[in-house]
Amino acid sequence: MLNKVKSEFTSIFNEAPLITRFAPGRVNIIGDHTDYNGGYVFPTTLNIGTYIAGSSRKDKLVNVLALNFNQQIRFELNDIQHDTLHPWSNYIRGVYKVLLNKGYQLSGANLVIGGNLPQGAGLSSSASLELALLKLLDDLHHLLLDGTEAAKIGQATENEFVGCQCGIMDQMISAKGRANSGMLLHCDTLQYEYIAIPKNAQLLVINSNIQRGLVDSEYNLRREQCEQAAQICKVGHLSELNIDTLEEFESALGALLFKRAKHVVSENLRVLELAEAIPELDWTKISNVMRHSHASLRDDFAVSTRNMDILVDIIDTALAGQGGVRMTGGGFGGCAVVLCEPNRKNAVINAVLTEYLKLTGLQAEVYECKSVDGAFYTNDSSSANIANVVASKVVSN
Ligand code: GLA
């Protein structure tokens, strides 16, 4: 893909690109719908993502070719409008708009973009596009962005320009993820700690190929419900509660809001438990924690689907306690994530390829993943040691 992006650039702009950059997609190992509630997440990067080639221009024109859509668009920096005909271009337009609003100095650019993440699978193709562009603009225009600032700009692009009220997990991991590690991120303070994924653990991403619908509207609705619940409980965000303090508000919240809040509070604990179980490869614990996470997303947060539940059940049976599986990401289709003993890999793949097709009529795809450094990762990326926080939280809850 990198070579394709470079050669297309050279052929349409008649010169080689000045620089090329890459930002990875992500899979979330655990901690879903906790990021916008000030809670914990534990994602890792993927070695697939978005490539971008670019050179700066002297004028204010941004000229972009998207290889995946075979579409080219142009806009002027002093007139950045939303584009309904080319929805992918709003991520580019939005990044420029947010940077300019923050006072960064930019000129125009020629850009070619290509990606190898499956579209609509929930592996953060949009965050990887934002971060690849931000890294390229950082180097092209000497913006001196650090990864956290870049992640915030990516999130603001989605919240303020594209219209998705997402949290910051996807942008943080695409920016600052580290190879062969998960990132235990506290989304309220943005403190994080890298936790190495041992070599003898196998990470698999299974694309359910479920047609996704209502993703944005249901996502935004969940976020509103969480904000409403936090207001009723008189906290800034739901992650300030633990199970006991939440229960005091059970009747004030009503059944639906209580379930939403219960998912968030219990999922935070599961993130911390899994982060502890991974270095020791405690498969029984990994298996239980991931199973409870899936059940909570299905029953309390209501973001799974029937076919996703079938997929997760099939895999859980094939794992036989030697690993865990759960739906991952925003929900309503997308992918399941598996962390298992390497010798369970073939059993999982066989079960998925036969049983899932038989029961749902859908063909799932299995990706064997390797995680790579994020677009803004540097060796000195400050990783706070939040292990103590982890221990005390588990005890106090
Ligand atoms: C999407 C959003 C993230 C996060 C997840 C759910 O991927 O972009 O911010 O909320 O859903 O965990």
Side-chain angles (χ1 to χ4, degrees):
M1 185 47 91
L2 175 62
N3 288 339
K4 184 143 189 263
V5 165
K6 276 188 188 168
S7 66
E8 288 289 332
F9 187 102
T10 310
S11 84
I12 62 164
F13 295 116
N14 295 319
E15 58 175 15
L18 196 61
I19 51 179
T20 56
R21 292 292 178 264
F22 168 80
R26 67 97 185 91
V27 64
N28 190 19
I29 300 175
I30 197 161
D32 274 312
H33 293 276
T34 44
D35 62 349
Y36 55 85
N37 287 302
Y40 291 100
V41 293
F42 187 60
T44 186
T45 53
L46 301 174
N47 59 346
I48 43 180
T50 305
Y51 293 86
I52 182 164
S55 293
S56 49
R57 300 172 53 105
K58 294 206 168 62
D59 56 15
K60 297 278 180 201
L61 181 75
V62 179
N63 191 344
V64 197
L65 169 69
L67 293 178
N68 295 61
F69 300 98
N70 199 18
Q71 289 177 347
Q72 190 166 0
I73 58 108
R74 295 179 177 80
F75 61 91
E76 293 282 341
L77 288 184
N78 53 12
D79 182 26
I80 303 181
Q81 304 294 336
H82 206 267
D83 180 349
T84 39
L85 288 179
H86 309 97
W88 60 268
S89 76
N90 290 321
Y91 298 98
I92 314 285
R93 295 166 192 269
V95 163
Y96 271 97
K97 187 125 192 176
V98 175
L99 281 172
L100 290 168
N101 285 348
K102 283 180 173 276
Y104 289 98
Q105 298 295 311
L106 304 169
S107 67
N110 292 330
L111 305 169
V112 173
I113 298 170
N116 51 9
L117 281 163
Q119 290 297 308
L123 300 177
S124 285
S125 52
S126 51
S128 89
L129 169 56
E130 292 148 18
L131 269 300
L133 174 62
L134 280 159
K135 184 62 192 155
L136 182 122
L137 296 179
D138 183 34
D139 292 339
L140 213 52
H141 302 302
H142 314 292
L143 306 179
L144 303 177
L145 292 175
D146 77 73
T148 302
E149 174 67 359
K152 287 181 181 167
I153 293 168
Q155 186 196 19
T157 298
E158 305 247 6
N159 293 173
E160 293 161 21
F161 197 84
V162 177
C164 172
Q165 296 309 311
C166 67
I168 196 146
M169 166 172 73
D170 305 347
Q171 288 77 14
M172 277 296 282
I173 186 71
S174 184
K176 304 190 73 162
R178 187 176 78 179
N180 307 316
S181 307
M183 178 192 241
L184 174 60
L185 170 68
H186 183 224
C187 298
D188 189 30
T189 58
L190 297 187
Q191 275 197 318
Y192 58 89
E193 181 183 352
Y194 298 116
I195 295 185
I197 299 178
K199 284 206 173 56
N200 47 346
Q202 174 75 55
L203 189 67
L204 297 171
V205 174
I206 323 280
N207 185 353
S208 67
N209 276 322
I210 295 167
Q211 197 68 40
R212 295 177 95 197
L214 296 174
V215 184
D216 284 352
S217 57
E218 287 292 326
Y219 184 93
N220 291 346
L221 176 63
R222 291 302 176 283
R223 186 164 180 159
E224 278 165 29
Q225 291 170 338
C226 289
E227 280 162 11
Q228 224 183 317
Q231 234 171 27
I232 293 172
C233 299
K234 301 185 178 53
V235 286
H237 54 65
L238 289 177
S239 301
E240 288 170 35
L241 299 167
N242 62 36
I243 297 288
D244 294 336
T245 50
L246 173 63
E247 274 171 1
E248 288 167 23
F249 293 95
E250 187 164 358
S251 63
L253 284 167
L256 185 115
L257 292 187
F258 179 71
K259 285 210 277 184
R260 302 293 187 259
K262 183 168 146 246
H263 164 72
V264 174
V265 172
S266 61
E267 184 80 346
N268 279 328
L269 287 179
R270 287 186 289 267
V271 175
L272 301 178
E273 280 184 67
L274 197 74
E276 276 196 332
I278 285 179
E280 298 156 16
L281 289 184
D282 179 343
W283 291 121
T284 309
K285 196 163 174 190
I286 291 171
S287 159
N288 284 334
V289 171
M290 290 178 79
R291 188 177 303 122
H292 286 138
S293 170
H294 184 79
S296 178
L297 287 157
R298 181 191 61 209
D299 303 334
D300 287 341
F301 217 69
V303 289
S304 187
T305 66
R306 173 99 190 95
N307 284 342
M308 177 58 79
D309 298 339
I310 291 176
L311 179 64
V312 165
D313 277 352
I314 291 169
I315 298 173
D316 206 9
T317 307
L319 287 170
Q322 291 291 292
V325 57
R326 54 185 285 281
M327 61 149 277
T328 179
F332 304 100
C335 292
V337 61
V338 175
L339 188 70
C340 68
E341 164 74 40
N343 68 19
R344 298 315 300 163
K345 185 179 86 183
N346 290 341
V348 168
I349 295 177
N350 287 340
V352 167
L353 297 185
T354 54
E355 310 270 308
Y356 180 65
L357 180 63
K358 208 159 59 192
L359 292 174
T360 64
L362 293 169
Q363 184 85 64
E365 277 156 322
V366 181
Y367 313 115
E368 271 186 57
C369 305
K370 195 177 141 34
S371 67
V372 298
D373 289 340
F376 283 82
Y377 176 77
T378 51
N379 264 338
D380 58 347
S381 275
S382 57
S383 162
N385 187 331
I386 54 177
N388 293 338
V389 181
V390 173
S392 65
K393 280 273 171 180
V394 172
V395 172
S396 72
N397 284 281

